[in-house]
Amino acid sequence: MKKWVYEFHEGNADMRPLLGGKGANLAEMTNLGLPIPNGFTVTTEACTDYYTQGKQISQEIQEQIFAALAVLEEQRGKKFGDESDPLLVSVRSGARASMPGMMDTILNLGLNDVSVEGFAKKTGNPRFAYDSYRRFIQMFSDVVMEMSKSFFEGILTEIKDAKGAKYDTDLTADDLKEVIARYKAIYAEKMGAEFPQDPKVQLMEAVKAVFRSWDNPRAIVYRRMNDIPGDWGTAVNVQSMVFGNMGNTSGTGVAFTRNPSTGEKGIFGEYLINAQGEDVVAGIRTPQPITKLAEDLPKCYEQFMDIANRLEDHYRDMQDMEFTIQEGKLFFLQTRNGKRTAQAAIQIACDLVDEGRITPEEAVLRIEAKSLDQLLHPTFDAEQLKKGEKIGQALPASPGAAAGKVYFTAEDAKNAHEQDGEKVILVRLETSPEDIEGMHAAEGILTVRGGMTSHAAVVARGMGTCCVSGCGEISIDEDAKVFSLGGYTFHEGDEISLDGGTGFIYKGMIQTKEATVSGNFGRIMNWADGFRRLRIRTNADTPADTANAVRLGAEGIGLCRTEHMFFEPNRIPKIRKMILSDTLEQREQALQELLPFQKSDFKAMYEALKGRPMTVRYLDPPLHEFVPTDPADMEALAKDMGMTVEQVKQKCDDLHEFNPMMGHRGCRLAVTYPEIARMQTRAVMEAAIEVSREKGFSIEPEIMIPLVGDKKELKFVKDIVVEEAETVKKERNSNIIYHIGTMIEIPRAALMAGEIAEEAEFFSFGTNDLTQMTFGFSRDDAGKFLYSYYQAKIYESDPFARLDQNGVGQLIRIAAEQGKKTRPNIKMGICGEHGGDPSSIAFCHDAGLTYVSCSPFRVPIARLAAAQAALNSKK
């Protein structure tokens, strides 16, 4: 019989895929002899079986759950559902990859109308018993039955106001009985049934709810953002309850063995006296720093510090721990490798190497490549910051600088960012997991409630988003979309700035400056460069982008899109004249006017590269993208060309194509208008020869013909390029070497790569178009319907953001293998958006490509991801 349920002592840390991260760590801590409340784990395989069985838990799994529950009863000396001394449990999710706040938890499960009275007598603490029951009703209703929390929060607020209570801890047992009665009444009204009284029914419904939460909208979004496969499933951990809400010798907290924002060594955390864990995480009350526990409960603090240090030594990494103190006795509820900012990850990795705990290889593998994005964005300009008007300060929950317009809901923030291109600051009373998309869209997050380990703080740090939390001085009305702070009132659309490193809040927008790669960041990058095989280039079209990419470690340009050079105001009229010309002579005259501009750009980029290679892609987009649409521009063009406006308009209309991305573009333009390729060849060759002589750099131009689908097509354009290049060499008395290759971006080209390699010296996989043509998706329009595909589990991620390794990847492998057979030393890379995606980079390493090319700010991400791919392939 298959084993679906494991008691904690039956597992270990290596069973993470089966037991999930939380279950594996609870098992490991149990075996280390730490004070862990007894319990058991329902496996991730049971979750996938639940979905296979049409969202039903099989009889076999249920029987194993109740068998494990019987063992737990024996261990605890209590009975589940007992009327005088009930066993209560928590039911928590636990995926193999940490997903903080994305899935669901139910505490105090097992209470009902009768057992709560026995529980009150047994503990001698009626207030605690009824507080636990009201919490359970709210969590069960919210998580399991999907009732809105607002129903219950409204009731609690009304009763607190009526009793003159500031916090829920100020309510008496009788007050809480009134809360429970009203909670049950609203439950019956909304659900059409009484609140369930059978603890076994409560348990199985809670297990189903945790399984169900694996596919809730926020979990799906989080998985898509963090490349977590949807078929992993989540485990469920059922654990006997310990209670932090039993009075002033009880409490609960979250702590880290190092600062998750900066990486500084030393215990860092928060706790609340007379509270349960959800109070800390949800940010309902602002907690105390963990160091104050030394004053409140010194023996517990001493034991806590000893266990925390043992855990870090055992796991050889910074730990994120949850703990509860029940009437002076300490229990650990979980530990995991803590989520941290990129800055902290680098600091911790380097410190652990210096402490002799890990190797440089392990340090490189410990840092999430995508997280480096946090370090590569602007910070506040120091001089501008001095002039900023500080209006408040709160907790520096996630570092970085953010300036933008205030929005009060996740939906408004998302829309303002995606539809209007606004820089957004999300201001909330407190965030919840449902806010994930708005938080992702925001430059920064500001909350009124919550500490350094609240939902907002943890998720913001994971995203690399600036966050300032727990600003109790704010007076906010979310419905009216207004808040007040520091003597000012801010409405939706007003501007503020946040400093996530200090917690300072400023009025207005403060100017930012670029980050630099130095210190420990540089150290990690140097280690990574020593381990990787893939070379890292950048996609750049301007000297400024080129210089920036070189500063960030780019080893050349993998894609220079020459058409971007034509869109400047003093150049666009000339390209339009060329397009609308009727004769070869007119076109050549217009191209001759463009030649100096194109050549000067190439020269400046070659100078910025200082001898590093540059792959120049010839004109690629359809010509209609260049023609005017504004009547004034049409009139100016008509005047310049001696035509009527009607003639210009007619020519522009004639260029319209029904499917332009598959139309007259790329190499097809050079077949129709060879003079375009000649002009671009002359610009590249003259620029390379002049910079080589002026600066002493060794330059070998790389000329890339786009959108090729056949060897003969490439040869036709290549012959034009070679003829012009040799003419320039002869004119300049130069023996410069140049290379001609092509983009593989049409499925046919991938299948014909062996023949195409007879003419091409290198391949660059244009994965944007290759994905578009392989899927039959328009990359401009796919976003309108892809969310439906995520919901239906047809696709898990955007194929334009993360390379489709099964389909598009297979074409790349075919082309790479065929190309190497024809030309064993062929150089191959990718230059689509996938060049900066870590999972896609790992694929490129495995496929035997030579390099990846990505946007300048993603160069360090690619360097680290390439090193991780090399180290993982060794494993």
Side-chain angles (χ1 to χ4, degrees):
M1 183 173 69
K2 187 178 178 70
K3 191 170 177 62
W4 301 97
V5 179
Y6 288 76
E7 295 172 48
F8 289 164
H9 70 86
E10 295 179 300
N12 59 60
D14 296 330
M15 296 173 68
R16 190 181 190 94
L18 184 65
L19 302 179
K22 187 173 293 182
N25 286 332
L26 284 167
E28 188 78 0
M29 289 193 292
T30 297
N31 294 330
L32 288 171
L34 301 183
I36 308 301
N38 306 94
F40 57 87
T41 300
V42 186
T43 65
T44 58
E45 291 178 349
C47 179
T48 54
D49 185 77
Y50 164 81
Y51 283 102
T52 302
Q53 301 297 330
K55 296 187 178 180
Q56 296 295 322
I57 298 178
S58 72
Q59 189 63 35
E60 183 181 342
I61 294 173
Q62 290 190 56
E63 288 172 1
Q64 290 191 29
I65 289 173
F66 289 126
L69 183 64
V71 173
L72 185 58
E73 288 176 323
E74 190 176 332
Q75 290 169 339
R76 297 291 293 161
K78 295 173 182 283
K79 283 288 183 184
F80 196 54
D82 188 85
E83 294 183 1
S84 59
D85 188 15
L87 170 68
L88 303 186
V89 298
S90 64
V91 179
R92 299 171 184 260
S93 62
R96 72 169 85 171
S98 178
M99 298 172 61
M102 294 303 109
M103 291 180 294
D104 293 324
T105 294
I106 302 99
L107 302 180
N108 309 314
L109 188 143
L111 284 172
N112 58 28
D113 292 349
V114 178
S115 64
V116 71
E117 295 180 14
F119 193 44
K121 289 175 186 173
K122 180 70 178 177
T123 59
N125 191 339
R127 191 212 167 275
F128 151 70
Y130 289 102
D131 181 52
S132 298
Y133 191 27
R134 71 94 184 165
R135 289 170 182 270
F136 170 56
I137 294 170
Q138 178 169 343
M139 294 185 85
F140 187 91
S141 303
D142 169 30
V143 172
V144 179
M145 307 310 294
E146 299 179 344
M147 284 181 63
S148 172
K149 284 185 286 192
S150 63
F151 295 131
F152 303 97
E153 289 168 350
I155 290 169
L156 188 63
T157 299
E158 284 177 20
I159 292 177
K160 278 161 62 178
D161 290 346
K163 306 292 182 181
K166 183 175 182 182
Y167 299 113
D168 52 18
T169 50
D170 298 329
L171 295 174
T172 67
D174 287 337
D175 296 335
L176 291 165
K177 287 179 183 179
E178 184 181 343
V179 172
I180 289 166
R182 291 185 59 183
Y183 275 12
K184 288 171 59 187
I186 194 74
Y187 181 96
E189 177 191 333
K190 298 297 180 183
M191 302 308 301
E194 296 299 316
F195 188 81
Q197 297 293 300
D198 184 341
K200 288 191 174 181
V201 170
Q202 295 172 358
L203 177 60
M204 292 314 303
E205 290 303 315
V207 172
K208 287 179 191 173
V210 173
F211 283 161
R212 210 164 52 235
S213 73
W214 174 250
D215 265 351
N216 69 36
R218 65 179 183 268
I220 291 171
V221 169
Y222 189 92
R223 288 204 301 272
R224 195 163 70 248
M225 285 163 50
N226 292 277
D227 294 340
I228 298 172
D231 59 4
W232 277 4
T234 181
V236 178
N237 298 288
V238 179
Q239 193 171 20
S240 56
M241 282 293 300
V242 287
F243 301 96
N245 59 328
M246 290 189 75
N248 290 333
T249 58
S250 301
T252 188
V254 176
F256 301 83
T257 54
R258 302 182 189 229
N259 187 313
S261 290
T262 66
E264 181 183 357
K265 188 173 182 178
I267 205 72
F268 177 90
E270 301 169 321
Y271 77 104
L272 280 169
I273 287 290
N274 197 17
Q276 288 196 331
E278 290 303 299
D279 296 338
V280 178
V281 175
I284 294 166
R285 287 162 57 191
T286 299
Q288 298 292 321
I290 192 72
T291 48
K292 194 170 184 304
L293 187 61
E295 300 173 25
D296 294 341
L297 299 165
K299 286 186 179 178
C300 287
Y301 181 74
E302 187 177 331
Q303 185 188 8
F304 169 79
M305 289 298 294
D306 176 63
I307 293 173
N309 289 328
R310 281 179 64 191
L311 287 170
E312 180 171 283
D313 287 342
H314 182 75
Y315 286 101
R316 298 184 307 130
D317 202 353
M318 182 264 275
Q319 294 300 291
D320 169 3
M321 304 156 293
E322 291 181 19
F323 64 93
T324 287
I325 299 165
Q326 179 176 311
E327 296 183 311
K329 186 174 180 182
L330 175 68
F331 295 89
F332 271 65
L333 304 184
Q334 81 162 30
T335 192
R336 61 188 173 193
N337 293 340
K339 288 283 184 184
R340 62 205 79 180
T341 63
Q343 177 187 346
I346 287 170
Q347 183 69 48
I348 290 167
C350 289
D351 284 349
L352 290 173
V353 170
D354 293 341
E355 292 164 20
R357 299 194 191 193
I358 63 174
T359 64
E361 289 90 341
E362 288 175 299
V364 165
L365 287 169
R366 291 268 177 99
I367 297 164
E368 187 182 351
K370 276 186 176 178
S371 72
L372 295 186
D373 198 40
Q374 301 170 23
L375 302 177
L376 304 173
H377 291 290
T379 55
F380 285 137
D381 178 87
E383 291 303 312
Q384 292 295 318
L385 193 59
K386 290 176 186 176
K387 301 173 186 175
E389 184 178 357
K390 196 185 304 174
I391 56 173
Q393 182 178 15
L395 300 174
S398 184
K405 294 183 177 180
V406 167
Y407 288 88
F408 292 85
T409 71
E411 185 179 3
D412 289 343
K414 179 186 174 189
N415 290 340
H417 175 70
E418 292 182 357
Q419 296 176 14
D420 303 326
E422 299 281 11
K423 289 183 180 291
V424 168
I425 303 291
L426 180 63
V427 180
R428 303 281 280 145
L429 187 64
E430 60 197 3
T431 66
S432 71
E434 286 77 11
D435 293 329
I436 181 74
E437 290 185 285
M439 295 173 74
H440 187 57
E443 303 290 316
I445 299 159
L446 173 62
T447 69
V448 180
R449 296 177 183 164
M452 299 286 279
T453 53
S454 64
H455 174 266
V458 171
V459 174
R461 281 198 295 270
M463 290 177 172
T465 301
C466 167
C467 178
V468 175
S469 65
C471 186
E473 297 174 1
I474 287 178
S475 173
I476 188 170
D477 185 336
E478 290 182 319
D479 292 333
K481 298 183 179 179
V482 62
F483 81 89
S484 299
L485 178 66
Y488 293 99
T489 298
F490 297 89
H491 297 84
E492 182 177 88
D494 290 343
E495 295 173 343
I496 62 169
S497 300
L498 307 176
D499 188 332
T502 62
F504 290 139
I505 305 157
Y506 299 89
K507 182 176 182 287
M509 298 273 276
I510 297 176
Q511 189 177 331
T512 58
K513 67 173 185 176
E514 292 179 353
T516 57
V517 181
S518 60
N520 281 333
F521 191 177
R523 198 174 168 199
I524 290 286
M525 287 292 102
N526 287 335
W527 286 335
D529 290 342
F531 301 140
R532 65 182 166 87
R533 178 188 59 76
L534 281 170
R535 313 315 296 168
I536 309 300
R537 295 193 185 190
T538 191
N539 302 336
D541 318 311
T542 67
D545 281 349
T546 304
N548 197 31
V550 168
R551 179 179 65 83
L552 294 171
E555 296 165 304
I557 290 177
L559 176 64
C560 170
R561 303 175 178 92
T562 55
E563 61 272 6
H564 287 188
M565 300 171 173
F566 296 142
F567 282 101
E568 292 186 15
N570 59 340
R571 306 181 187 189
I572 192 76
K574 295 175 174 50
I575 191 77
R576 287 170 175 170
K577 281 175 66 177
M578 187 276 294
I579 292 168
L580 269 62
S581 294
D582 289 320
T583 67
L584 173 63
E585 290 75 22
Q586 288 176 329
R587 283 195 296 276
E588 286 181 335
Q589 183 180 345
L591 288 166
Q592 198 61 33
E593 293 179 27
L594 280 169
L595 175 63
F597 293 110
Q598 187 118 93
K599 176 179 164 181
S600 66
D601 285 340
F602 291 146
K603 283 191 70 173
M605 292 172 75
Y606 277 131
E607 288 174 6
L609 286 167
K610 299 180 180 178
R612 296 173 181 85
M614 174 166 69
T615 301
V616 177
R617 183 182 73 182
Y618 279 10
L619 193 63
D620 183 53
L623 295 179
H624 81 273
E625 288 192 8
F626 297 101
V627 298
T629 55
D630 182 82
D633 289 339
M634 286 191 178
E635 191 173 334
L637 185 60
K639 185 177 180 181
D640 189 34
M641 296 189 69
M643 300 167 65
T644 66
V645 174
E646 289 71 25
Q647 286 175 315
V648 169
K649 189 175 185 307
Q650 183 60 52
K651 281 183 173 287
C652 292
D653 289 343
D654 290 344
L655 287 168
H656 172 76
E657 296 179 85
F658 288 106
N659 195 346
M661 295 312 293
M662 298 174 73
H664 193 196
R665 53 171 287 225
C667 65
R668 300 159 195 171
L669 292 173
V671 171
T672 307
Y673 305 116
E675 54 273 18
I676 298 176
R678 287 198 187 96
M679 182 278 285
Q680 294 200 286
T681 302
R682 178 166 287 275
V684 170
M685 295 298 292
E686 288 185 357
I689 291 168
E690 289 176 17
V691 173
S692 295
R693 288 174 175 168
E694 292 166 6
K695 302 295 182 180
F697 300 140
S698 177
I699 299 174
E700 295 184 8
E702 298 175 358
I703 294 167
M704 184 159 66
I705 312 300
L707 214 74
V708 162
D710 191 274
K711 170 188 167 183
K712 289 183 286 185
E713 190 177 31
L714 174 59
K715 186 176 187 310
F716 181 90
V717 181
K718 179 181 175 182
D719 288 346
I720 296 165
V721 172
V722 169
E723 181 184 5
E724 188 68 20
E726 292 300 323
T727 299
V728 174
K729 284 176 64 175
K730 189 174 180 181
E731 290 172 359
R732 298 301 182 100
N733 191 26
S734 170
N735 62 355
I736 193 170
I737 298 169
Y738 59 94
H739 306 279
I740 299 174
T742 190
M743 290 190 85
I744 304 292
E745 50 191 329
I746 296 174
R748 188 177 193 276
L751 299 173
M752 304 292 292
E755 288 186 17
I756 290 172
E758 293 172 16
E759 295 291 340
E761 293 178 71
F762 62 86
F763 287 165
S764 178
F765 292 95
T767 53
N768 296 343
D769 271 349
L770 189 59
T771 297
Q772 183 167 240
M773 295 194 190
T774 302
F775 275 88
F777 286 170
S778 163
R779 61 183 174 185
D780 296 321
D781 299 316
K784 297 174 184 176
F785 59 80
L786 273 176
Y787 189 75
S788 301
Y789 277 66
Y790 305 145
Q791 287 182 311
K793 296 186 180 179
I794 298 170
Y795 299 128
E796 287 187 4
S797 57
D798 182 346
F800 295 104
R802 185 183 183 196
L803 186 69
D804 163 46
Q805 297 183 18
N806 295 328
V808 177
Q810 189 174 339
L811 288 171
I812 292 173
R813 287 188 187 276
I814 290 169
E817 288 167 9
Q818 289 196 11
K820 284 179 181 177
K821 282 180 185 175
T822 301
R823 193 183 292 266
N825 64 343
I826 191 167
K827 183 176 63 184
M828 296 182 292
I830 66 168
C831 59
E833 286 304 305
H834 303 102
D837 171 62
S839 64
S840 305
I841 291 167
F843 168 84
C844 293
H845 175 93
D846 292 340
L849 271 57
T850 316
Y851 69 89
V852 298
S853 188
C854 58
S855 61
F857 275 111
R858 299 180 88 182
V859 166
I861 295 172
R863 290 165 66 190
L864 182 60
Q868 292 172 342
L871 292 170
N872 285 326
S873 68
K874 275 188 188 178
K875 286 182 178 179

